[in-house]
Amino acid sequence: MDRNRKAAYDVLFAVETEGAYSNIALNDTVRREKPPEEAFVRALVYGVLENQIYLDYKLASFVRSGLRKVSPQALILLRMGAYQIEFMDGVPDYAAVGESVRLAKKVCRGRDGFVNGVLRSYQRSAASVRLPEEEKDPVKYLSVRYSCTEDIAALWMKMFGREGAENLLKAAAGAPPLTVRVNSLRTDAGQLAERLREEGFSAVPRLDGTALEVEGTGILSCRAAEEGLFSVQDISSMIMIRALDPKPGETVLDVCAAPGGKSLAAAERMENRGRVISCDIYDHKLALIRKTAERLGISIIETHRNDATKLREEYVGIADRVIADVPCSGLGVIRRKPELKLRITQKEIDNLSEIQYRILENASLCLKKDGTLVYSTCTVSEAENGGVIRRFLEKNRNFFLKEEKQLLPYIDNSDGFYFCTMQRI
């Protein structure tokens, strides 16, 4: 049995049946099973997830009873085989079919003949399967063509029009850039770039030299990382912290801090002078923040276990600046978690906006007069972003809008990310 394909299957099965996040499941599976070709495993997993609705649409043409009656085990193997046939030029069709059948004999005995028959039909005739007509139903077309829920396609068409929605969906299928935040407490961009080049990475300055865009593998295990010279962080979060503009000696409250990147970036910008209170509901995530702070040489981080949907009285009026990076639908990071394209619905977005508003209300009460509040999400959804802010400003006349920005992958070469800075008066 092919260990690479078995590892990919295990990840996809966890995502399909347990609701696992692909990045976490991938890292766990690779560490546990040690497949000989990790790059192939990652390409197959992400390829299937990025194209799942498209693959299912075509596969349905070759399953008379429809895909709903196909077991999860067999359906995952069909998707894996179909993806290899259609998209992986380095894999011969006979290998895509044959290895899928061999794997079927292990994970869904008795269905190997079914898997063989469907994939051979796909091999012969998939090219002739027509997608939904774009002019008649553009939402359905975008949903199938770019493998996202119809709710996502409809949402982005409403926000950005037909062309903008397609640009977003195209960008969502690409690989995100790898950027690192230079730890200004220990080095500068020039020195760090040279260190990374010595360790086999290419590094190009971004954001006025406070960040580097890096190419290479194993960035987290290099010596420069161990020495705390940088942190991996998307450029969008760095732009948000720049807008927050925390000063040395101030008190910053981060109400939804994990995994801690924004708290740590604020502390670096504050020259490790002042107080940063980082909150989360999970102790193990707070421990990770403390560990990272130690690696970076940051001593002003305090971690507190707290639920941001509930007001903690001791925080009222204590902070010069507050970060409310709220839980969201994640539509801005589907390049990193492609399974989100298959899960997000308008109902979920509406439910999240209520939670987000409650967190924002509580966060605002923790701010001193003349203090700055930043609200942010890693999504592209008006209901979760501008909708929450308009509602908040309408009710809270003692706040005024300073800056509002929606970053988009195909324009800003970043994650899809929204932030808004407000000042209390």
Side-chain angles (χ1 to χ4, degrees), residues 111-253:
R111 301 300 284 164
D112 48 297
F114 168 75
V115 169
N116 181 63
V118 173
L119 289 180
R120 290 196 179 281
S121 297
Y122 194 99
Q123 178 186 352
R124 290 191 302 269
S125 306
S128 65
V129 177
R130 299 180 63 183
L131 298 184
E133 291 189 42
E134 185 175 0
E135 297 303 319
K136 285 187 177 180
D137 193 343
V139 169
K140 180 70 173 178
Y141 168 80
L142 289 175
S143 171
V144 174
R145 173 66 181 81
Y146 295 101
S147 283
C148 66
T149 64
E150 291 189 24
D151 282 5
I152 295 173
L155 169 67
W156 284 352
M157 279 191 66
K158 182 178 180 180
M159 290 179 67
F160 303 107
R162 169 70 179 74
E163 182 179 355
E166 185 159 26
N167 285 334
L168 261 176
L169 288 165
K170 284 180 180 178
L178 173 62
T179 53
V180 300
R181 185 185 73 250
V182 180
N183 183 358
S184 57
L185 301 176
R186 290 186 168 173
T187 188
D188 58 37
Q191 292 175 333
L192 178 58
E194 183 58 33
R195 277 292 306 274
L196 291 175
R197 292 186 190 109
E198 290 173 0
E199 295 195 48
F201 301 92
S202 68
V204 178
R206 288 191 66 182
L207 204 62
D208 300 331
T210 57
L212 297 173
E213 187 167 326
V214 178
E215 291 186 3
T217 58
I219 188 71
L220 291 177
S221 57
C222 73
R223 292 191 305 277
E226 294 171 358
E227 294 172 18
L229 302 185
F230 67 86
S231 297
V232 174
Q233 187 175 47
D234 189 71
I235 201 80
S236 57
S237 295
M238 299 184 226
I239 293 172
M240 183 271 270
I241 291 297
R242 174 177 289 192
L244 177 69
D245 195 23
K247 306 294 186 183
E250 291 185 334
T251 295
V252 174
L253 173 64

Side-chain angles (χ1 to χ4, degrees), residues 389-400:
I389 295 303
R390 308 293 167 254
R391 179 181 171 190
F392 175 81
L393 291 174
E394 181 66 27
K395 184 178 177 182
N396 295 273
R397 299 292 184 169
N398 59 330
F399 280 81
F400 74 88

Side-chain angles (χ1 to χ4, degrees), residues 26-88:
L26 249 174
N27 291 335
D28 289 346
T29 300
V30 166
R31 184 168 53 251
R32 182 178 64 253
E33 299 185 17
K34 296 180 173 55
E37 297 178 48
E38 181 181 334
F40 176 85
V41 175
R42 292 184 179 276
L44 184 53
V45 167
Y46 282 125
V48 168
L49 292 173
E50 286 168 359
N51 295 277
Q52 184 168 304
I53 292 175
Y54 171 88
L55 294 170
D56 284 1
Y57 180 86
K58 286 197 166 185
L59 283 165
S61 298
F62 309 111
V63 180
R64 188 173 301 174
S65 60
L67 297 185
R68 289 188 178 183
K69 295 184 178 181
V70 178
S71 68
Q73 294 89 339
L75 183 55
I76 290 167
L77 292 178
L78 291 177
R79 291 167 178 161
M80 289 172 60
Y83 179 76
Q84 292 170 76
I85 290 168
E86 187 156 353
F87 293 101
M88 299 187 85

Side-chain angles (χ1 to χ4, degrees), residues 378-389:
C378 57
T379 195
V380 184
S381 160
E382 177 59 23
E384 298 177 80
N385 296 337
V388 170
I389 295 303

